[in-house]
Amino acid sequence: MTVPPPAAGAEPADQGGSAVSGVDLVGLLGAVAVSANESRDPDRALHETIRHVCDFTGWPVGHAYLVGPEGLLAATPAWQAHDDDSIDAFRTVSDEVPLPMGVGLPGRVVADRRPAWIVDVASDANFPRSALAAAAGLKAGFAFPVLVGRDVVAVLEFFCREPVEPDARFLEVIGHLGRQLGQVFERERATADLSASEARTRQILDSAGDAFIGLDSAGLVTAWNEQAEAIFGWTRDEALGQRVADLIIPDEYRAAHDDGMARFLATGEARVLGQRLELSALRKSGECFPIEITLWAISGPDGWSFYSFARDITQQKAAAADLAFRALHDDLTGLANRTLVVDRLEQALARGARSGLHTAVLFVDLDRFKVVNDSLGHAAGDQLLQAAGHRIRHAVRPADTVGRLAGDEFLVVCENLEDAADATRVAERILSVLSEPMDLDGDHVRLDASVGIALDTALVTTAADLLREADAAMYRAKEHGRGRFEVFDERMRDRILNRLRTERELLACLERDELRLHYQPIVTLPEGRVVGVEALVRWQHPVRGLLPPGEFIPLAEETGMIVPIGTWVLEEACRQAQIWEARGCHGLTLSINLSARQITQSDFVKNIAAIVEGADLDPGRVRIEMEVTESLLMADPEAITATLAEIRNLGVSLAIDDFGTGYSSLAYLKWFPIDTVKVDRSFVSDIDTDPRERAIVQSVVDLGHALGLSVIGEGVETESQRAELAAIGCDLAQGYLFARPGPADTITPLLLRG
Ligand code: C2E
Ligand code: CA
Ligand code: CA
């Protein structure tokens, strides 16, 4: 029979001669309360409670279960059993057979969450151990839950050797005991949760990429994660409790650190808290290294605590330094780049102005470097440049600056020179070290160089002037044969000034309408019938007269003026073509020269389309052909080919100009969408005297025909050249023999005559 505890406020049931009615319930409650309060360990608390209950009630047997998952009861070693032997079997089964929720006395307590009482367990239907209990002489039994909130965490059961009726008041009191005992479990649970969360926190901090350091207000280490161990070299055990200043702060910063902490503690003023700082730190090894840290303070019951995340930024610093180095140096040779050379030169000039000593710039250009690069390959070329840079570096004083500009051009800035002779001695040294043979993976290469020297004088004061002068002197050295140096002089200055003036004038030539187009006829072989003209630009210079394109086209290409000039040429040629068309010319081809700089303009095709379509020429009468040089095609064949195809779509035909002077082979001819090949004058001029040249022209003609192209021989000056070309089968010819280039009105009669 199980008795529920009385409802709150109900009078205790009068159970007459109950064996528990005389128990000192207050004493029992007090005793359990004391042990529950003092005990941090649930096992001990269970033991002590069993002991107290047995003592106060005089019941001989007491035992505790813990409640596991799903309410399953597992026996604990907490037993009180006064006459041991007799209950051995009962005890063994109680220990070994776990009871499910709802089964037996303790199972019912778990299910109902309240005390239960059985007057005689030996005859109770829901008491699986009844036979053993009978054998052990046990009769009455009660049990109560240990509650944490609404969870039953343990059950205590007690037995005596008489049948005893339940006592409601007693049951109420032991209900309290259960709750009191629950507090021990609750505390234990909380500390378990806490240490789990501490372990989790530590795990997080350990797996953090940064060092985590905690300090107390005295500056002693209270936290030190694995990253801190790795970065600073001190283990957690070594670090905890030590002064952080002694561990990781370099000597020279310790005082500042102590002051900062003291100031913060005294005034709450902190310059560094919450900021990202870069500092120097110390490893255990004594090595100093850069760190980035953030620091914050937390006030707690024990005063202030400080925490910081720190990260080793040695690598970032090195990368930043590397980046800064690379911004001012040449990747290949490690020498200064142009920016740094100019900067050093400016400083040297400023110092020279004070000291009265001179500064020289030496412009060193390797001769024949392109040949090596083309024949031995880029890797060898790079190796050669590195070796050359190294040799130059060691041929000059350490204080001198050595730099590399693009390609095979080096610059040397020499300071504190007495006169020009000092600079020429440096140039001689450089030429001599470079001329010693170099071993490039077994290939022995000798390098020559041309050196241009410019010395600061009263006339030049800027770095840019000096560099330009050294450049000009270097070109002069090359002109005079290689492997030599040249010092900049007044005549060179004149040339530079002329060039600058021409540049300015060229900018204005279009506005001033100074450009002219001349035309040179192209004739058939062998008949000599005029079937085309090539437009050749001239500059009617106000002072220097009519200038051929060689005098200004290179400069126009360099400055970009070639773009508007090219547009003007095309417009002017189209205008002339309309005139010729109107005057009844038939089957005329008008050839126009294009520069690389024009064709690589992004809107080039669009622009010429507008002009050509605007001219509205009858293709049966006048056809436009554009000439591009072979070297232009070879620079970027894929991109150029695409552009050429677009040009051809406009109904404009295409010719390769100066064929044979570039680097391409005949085989390349078939790759480009072209109509005509123009064999360079250099082949034509020897065609009647040199059988090899004749053979070359012959093969160009044959291949051209095989590909369906027409072939023009350029620069025909003599009758025998004309005869040879005709014999070879060349379709067309152009040259002084037939006509020199001239203004349209001198050419028109030739066209009308046909
Ligand atoms: P190019 O395209 O090879 O033009 C042929 C050059 O050879 C012309 O020189 C012409 O006068 C010259 N020539 C023709 N027949 C003979 C001959 O029998 N003997 C000799 N010695 N020379 C002959 P020019 O007019 O001085 O033009 C030189 C170069 O300037 C042209 O070479 C062309 O590359 C460039 N050029 C001319 N006009 C233009 C233009 O409008 N735009 C561009 N981008 N370049 C142009
Ligand atoms: Ca041409
Ligand atoms: Ca040509």
Side-chain angles (χ1 to χ4, degrees):
M1 170 201 147
T2 305
V3 181
E11 281 299 308
D14 183 8
Q15 299 295 333
S18 151
V20 292
S21 57
V23 170
D24 174 6
L25 292 177
V26 176
L28 174 59
L29 260 181
V32 171
V34 169
S35 34
N37 244 340
E38 288 178 349
S39 175
R40 305 231 151 229
D41 168 14
D43 287 345
R44 256 191 69 138
L46 287 176
H47 266 292
E48 296 206 339
T49 304
I50 291 168
R51 188 166 56 80
H52 290 315
V53 171
C54 289
D55 286 357
F56 275 85
T57 58
W59 289 32
V61 178
H63 174 224
Y65 296 87
L66 287 177
V67 180
E70 319 263 302
L72 198 66
L73 286 152
T76 71
W79 273 96
Q80 171 110 349
H82 279 310
D83 39 4
D84 268 359
D85 299 356
S86 63
I87 65 157
D88 265 3
F90 178 77
R91 194 173 156 164
T92 308
V93 169
S94 302
D95 279 346
E96 289 177 359
V97 182
L99 287 171
M101 173 149 53
V103 176
L105 177 63
R108 267 180 282 161
V109 169
V110 175
D112 299 340
R113 292 198 209 88
R114 59 187 179 195
W117 187 291
I118 296 174
V119 178
D120 180 1
V121 294
S123 59
D124 193 90
N126 186 9
F127 194 80
R129 294 169 292 172
S130 59
L132 292 163
L138 303 178
K139 290 281 197 293
F142 71 87
F144 64 90
V146 177
L147 284 163
V148 173
R150 288 186 46 83
D151 295 344
V152 181
V153 296
V155 175
L156 280 71
E157 62 178 3
F158 298 88
F159 302 96
C160 77
R161 297 189 181 287
E162 291 88 38
V164 177
E165 288 300 322
D167 179 324
R169 193 164 139 67
F170 175 76
L171 285 172
E172 192 186 347
V173 169
I174 57 173
H176 283 301
L177 288 189
R179 274 180 216 292
Q180 210 134 35
L181 208 49
Q183 290 173 4
V184 182
F185 284 82
E186 203 169 349
R187 271 203 303 274
E188 203 243 6
R189 240 192 216 182
T191 44
D193 285 354
L194 187 66
S195 54
S197 104
E198 268 173 7
R200 250 195 326 275
T201 308
R202 175 178 287 200
Q203 213 172 24
I204 290 168
L205 290 175
D206 277 346
S207 62
D210 294 346
F212 177 75
I213 301 173
L215 302 180
D216 63 14
S217 54
L220 303 180
V221 175
T222 55
W224 191 264
N225 71 351
E226 274 177 23
Q227 230 5 66
E229 294 186 329
I231 292 178
F232 297 103
W234 301 95
T235 65
R236 198 192 311 263
D237 288 346
E238 287 171 332
L240 289 179
Q242 300 299 310
R243 273 170 47 83
V244 75
D246 297 340
L247 295 178
I248 63 167
I249 298 182
D251 275 350
E252 61 266 40
Y253 300 120
R254 276 182 204 165
H257 164 81
D258 291 342
D259 289 352
M261 263 182 88
R263 188 173 51 241
F264 175 75
L265 293 171
T267 66
E269 180 209 337
R271 299 186 193 138
V272 298
L273 293 185
Q275 315 238 38
R276 189 190 292 254
L277 306 167
E278 278 187 28
L279 301 173
S280 293
L282 214 53
R283 288 191 225 277
K284 188 182 183 184
S285 64
E287 180 197 349
C288 219
F289 67 106
I291 57 171
E292 184 185 271
I293 73 164
T294 45
L295 191 67
W296 69 100
I298 296 174
S299 102
D302 309 328
W304 286 99
S305 309
F306 301 94
Y307 295 96
S308 83
F309 277 115
R311 131 183 338 185
D312 183 345
I313 52 169
T314 307
Q315 276 173 13
Q316 283 105 297
K317 282 278 178 194
D322 184 49
L323 213 64
F325 181 86
R326 286 165 67 159
L328 292 176
H329 292 81
D330 163 42
D331 275 347
L332 181 66
T333 60
L335 297 173
N337 64 13
R338 175 185 277 274
T339 311
L340 184 57
V341 170
V342 170
D343 186 54
R344 296 267 177 85
L345 178 56
E346 278 165 355
Q347 291 174 21
L349 289 173
R351 278 190 295 266
R354 291 193 294 270
S355 69
L357 290 167
H358 290 290
T359 300
V361 173
L362 282 73
F363 201 115
V364 183
D365 187 287
L366 304 183
D367 297 333
R368 295 185 310 115
F369 171 74
K370 197 175 161 9
V371 177
V372 176
N373 209 34
D374 289 348
S375 57
L376 299 182
H378 279 289
D382 284 354
Q383 227 182 315
L384 190 81
L385 291 172
Q386 286 169 333
H390 186 79
R391 288 186 182 190
I392 297 172
R393 176 70 267 180
H394 289 275
V396 303
R397 292 172 305 184
D400 296 338
T401 299
V402 178
R404 184 171 81 108
L405 305 182
D408 56 353
E409 297 172 344
F410 296 85
L411 275 179
V412 181
V413 176
C414 298
E415 229 181 309
N416 297 331
L417 306 177
E418 295 283 345
D419 53 26
D422 282 350
T424 60
R425 273 191 288 276
V426 176
E428 277 163 357
R429 245 191 342 266
I430 290 174
L431 288 174
S432 133
V433 295
L434 287 178
S435 68
E436 278 164 34
M438 294 189 190
D439 182 7
L440 290 184
D441 295 332
D443 287 308
H444 287 273
V445 180
R446 285 178 78 92
L447 270 187
D448 280 326
S450 303
V451 181
I453 303 171
L455 199 71
D456 59 344
T457 63
L459 284 173
V460 292
T461 45
T462 73
D465 285 345
L466 215 52
L467 286 172
R468 200 179 303 120
E469 292 187 357
D471 187 27
M474 186 276 291
Y475 273 105
R476 171 58 60 89
K478 271 209 196 304
E479 279 166 19
H480 285 187
R482 314 188 148 197
R484 48 179 291 145
F485 66 83
E486 199 73 44
V487 183
F488 184 83
D489 66 15
E490 290 308 314
R491 275 171 319 182
M492 293 184 216
R493 175 164 294 122
D494 289 346
R495 276 219 312 208
I496 287 185
L497 292 176
N498 272 337
R499 200 190 121 106
L500 288 173
R501 189 182 314 127
T502 309
E503 215 174 292
R504 267 198 315 275
E505 291 169 345
L506 192 59
L507 280 174
C509 73
L510 279 171
E511 279 165 40
R512 298 190 195 156
D513 197 21
E514 291 168 353
L515 292 182
R516 305 284 178 264
L517 270 192
H518 281 189
Y519 300 90
Q520 183 175 35
I522 295 169
V523 304
T524 57
L525 288 177
E527 307 87 349
R529 200 157 43 81
V530 179
V531 289
V533 289
E534 177 175 5
L536 296 159
V537 71
R538 271 89 182 103
W539 181 9
Q540 184 64 59
H541 190 275
V543 180
R544 293 156 69 196
L546 192 69
L547 299 179
E551 298 265 326
F552 62 95
I553 290 290
L555 190 62
E557 284 174 337
E558 231 174 88
T559 57
M561 270 302 280
I562 191 66
V563 176
I565 290 177
T567 304
W568 178 86
V569 167
L570 183 60
E571 282 169 344
E572 175 62 17
C574 284
R575 199 184 57 80
Q576 185 58 51
Q578 285 170 323
I579 294 173
W580 283 327
E581 189 184 284
R583 295 190 59 176
C585 286
H586 271 278
L588 182 71
T589 299
L590 175 55
S591 301
I592 313 272
N593 293 284
L594 293 183
S595 285
R597 185 86 181 244
Q598 287 173 269
I599 219 169
T600 50
Q601 295 276 311
S602 57
D603 51 0
F604 175 69
V605 176
K606 212 179 89 202
N607 290 348
I608 63 167
I611 299 170
V612 171
E613 280 159 14
D616 194 25
L617 296 168
D618 174 357
R621 293 181 177 229
V622 182
R623 183 173 67 116
I624 305 274
E625 182 159 88
M626 297 203 169
E627 300 187 0
V628 293
T629 59
E630 189 187 353
S631 44
L632 187 159
L633 295 180
M634 296 313 295
D636 185 358
E638 260 168 58
I640 296 292
T641 305
T643 309
L644 294 184
E646 288 181 59
I647 295 175
R648 227 154 158 245
N649 282 341
L650 301 174
V652 170
S653 58
L654 289 168
I656 294 193
D657 204 354
D658 303 346
F659 190 79
T661 56
Y663 295 95
S664 66
S665 70
L666 287 174
Y668 286 116
L669 276 181
K670 69 166 182 277
W671 294 111
F672 299 110
I674 49 163
D675 305 275
T676 306
V677 185
K678 298 187 80 171
V679 179
D680 191 68
R681 179 159 60 88
S682 57
F683 296 95
V684 172
S685 61
D686 295 330
I687 198 170
D688 49 345
T689 52
D690 186 339
R692 279 173 308 181
E693 304 281 288
R694 188 180 191 280
I696 291 173
V697 179
Q698 174 81 70
S699 52
V700 174
V701 169
D702 291 346
L703 185 72
H705 287 171
L707 294 172
L709 311 175
S710 51
V711 181
I712 304 179
E714 287 191 301
V716 181
E717 295 181 348
T718 67
E719 176 49 36
S720 87
Q721 288 166 355
R722 187 203 68 82
E724 283 298 335
L725 277 177
I728 281 171
C730 189
D731 312 271
L732 301 165
Q734 179 181 355
Y736 294 168
L737 176 68
F738 313 106
R740 291 192 172 246
D745 46 5
T746 65
I747 299 299
T748 306
L750 301 176
L751 295 183
L752 293 177
R753 218 181 301 139

